[in-house]
């Protein structure tokens, strides 16, 4: 089983609140990712990191921010939540490697509802 | 960035072999083909990855023709627990992968 954990699993919060979604992995993977997925829809990459102190924006514009201070930890923050941020957020990690994309290990997701 | 085309949904029965074909006409030389499975309210799970010809592991086989413009995921003797969404992806790096809507596979008793 993959050792990647997301908290909280479910969060209902009011508009304007600041939230942080936590993601931790114990596999020592350098690469980590955040995806956004609406029910029944495709995954969209919103942030990724090659390693400590590295963060990049994905193909889907997002008002969220991320940080990577430790290898195992990749939190996502929304400074002021809005109803349009309601979605499922999936964290993933992979090994650094050459010659192949590397298996993505996903957490169980954080389902965010903004009222 | 290569996009893929796969059936929106498929039905099958327990004990049958299921083949899901994916089209990726614009696949690049360095792209790998990867399949993931996703159950409701969970993150996707890696199934199999290949570059050319045939790859087999304990859960599936992946068939890739010489031109690499398509691939077929084969699930032997499916069970009800194989009901899920299956994604076909092509890319050189994970941050390049474009996730489509996948194929919703429903296994009936």
């Amino acid at each position: 089983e993959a050792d990647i954990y997301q908290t909280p699993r479910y969060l209902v919060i009011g508009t304007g609140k600041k939230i942080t979604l936590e993601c931790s992995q114990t596999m020592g993977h350098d690469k980590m990712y955040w995806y956004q997925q609406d029910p029944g829809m495709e995954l969209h990459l919103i942030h990724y990191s090659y390693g400590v102190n590295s963060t990049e924006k994905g193909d889907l514009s997002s008002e969220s921010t991320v940080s990577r201070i430790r290898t195992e930890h990749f939190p996502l923050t929304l400074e002021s939540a809005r109803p349009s941020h309601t979605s499922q957020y999936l964290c993933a990690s992979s090994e650094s490697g050459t010659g192949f994309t590397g298996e993505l290990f996903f957490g169980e997701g954080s389902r965010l509802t903004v009222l | 960035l290569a996009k893929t085309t796969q059936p929106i949904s498929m039905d099958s029965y327990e004990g049958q072999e299921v083949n899901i074909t994916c089209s990726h006409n614009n696949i690049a030389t360095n792209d790998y083909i990867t399949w993931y499975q996703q159950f409701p309210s969970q993150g996707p799970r890696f199934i199999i990855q290949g570059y050319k010809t045939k790859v087999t592991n304990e859960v599936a086989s992946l068939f890739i023709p010489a031109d690499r413009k398509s691939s077929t995921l084969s699930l032997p003797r499916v069970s009800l627990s194989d009901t899920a969404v299956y994604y076909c992806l092509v890319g050189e790096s994970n941050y390049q992968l474009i996730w489509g809507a996948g194929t919703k596979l429903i296994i009936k008793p």
Side-chain angles (χ1 to χ4, degrees):
Chain A
E1 293 294 325
D3 295 315
I4 180 164
Y5 308 100
Q6 290 186 241
T7 58
R9 286 292 316 278
Y10 303 93
L11 179 63
V12 180
I13 201 164
T15 297
K17 299 292 186 183
K18 177 179 178 180
I19 64 150
T20 296
L21 303 180
E22 303 287 349
C23 177
S24 295
Q25 51 96 5
T26 59
M27 296 172 282
H29 289 169
D30 287 327
K31 297 180 180 177
M32 296 190 74
Y33 315 79
W34 275 104
Y35 293 85
Q36 186 174 341
Q37 183 181 34
D38 292 329
M41 303 296 286
E42 60 269 26
L43 279 75
H44 290 285
L45 181 65
I46 51 175
H47 298 283
Y48 60 98
S49 168
Y50 290 112
V52 171
N53 294 323
S54 152
T55 62
E56 303 286 342
K57 289 188 179 295
D59 55 305
L60 179 67
S61 176
S62 174
E63 295 168 340
S64 59
T65 58
V66 292
S67 63
R68 190 86 184 276
I69 299 173
R70 302 198 313 266
T71 297
E72 62 272 20
H73 196 213
F74 192 41
L76 180 145
T77 298
L78 277 165
E79 289 293 333
S80 180
R82 295 207 298 269
S84 61
H85 297 138
T86 295
S87 189
Q88 171 156 266
Y89 294 84
L90 291 160
C91 180
S93 70
S94 68
E95 292 181 358
S96 292
T98 59
F100 68 104
T101 64
E103 176 182 349
L104 285 165
F105 292 89
F106 282 88
E108 293 193 310
S110 292
R111 183 168 295 282
L112 172 66
T113 301
V114 183
L115 304 176
Chain B
L1 299 178
K3 288 194 173 182
T4 61
T5 302
Q6 52 184 123
I8 294 172
S9 65
M10 292 179 66
D11 292 351
S12 188
Y13 292 90
E14 281 192 292
Q16 298 294 306
E17 178 184 79
V18 171
N19 296 311
I20 307 174
T21 297
C22 177
S23 172
H24 28 80
N25 291 317
N26 296 323
I27 190 169
T29 302
N30 294 333
D31 287 346
Y32 281 76
I33 301 159
T34 313
W35 287 78
Y36 284 85
Q37 174 193 55
Q38 186 178 28
F39 297 113
S41 300
Q42 293 187 22
R45 185 176 69 173
F46 175 91
I47 301 173
I48 198 166
Q49 183 179 79
Y51 183 80
K52 62 180 178 180
T53 62
K54 177 184 174 182
V55 181
T56 297
N57 62 22
E58 62 275 10
V59 298
S61 295
L62 179 59
F63 299 91
I64 306 168
D67 66 5
R68 304 202 326 125
K69 293 184 183 298
S70 67
S71 60
T72 299
L73 174 73
S74 180
L75 304 172
R77 290 202 297 277
V78 293
S79 64
L80 295 176
S81 62
D82 292 315
T83 294
V85 177
Y86 291 82
Y87 298 95
C88 166
L89 301 147
V90 296
E92 183 180 358
S93 303
N94 283 321
Y95 66 84
Q96 295 176 325
L97 299 181
I98 299 175
W99 295 71
T103 296
K104 186 173 183 179
L105 175 65
I106 298 174
I107 304 302
K108 302 174 183 178

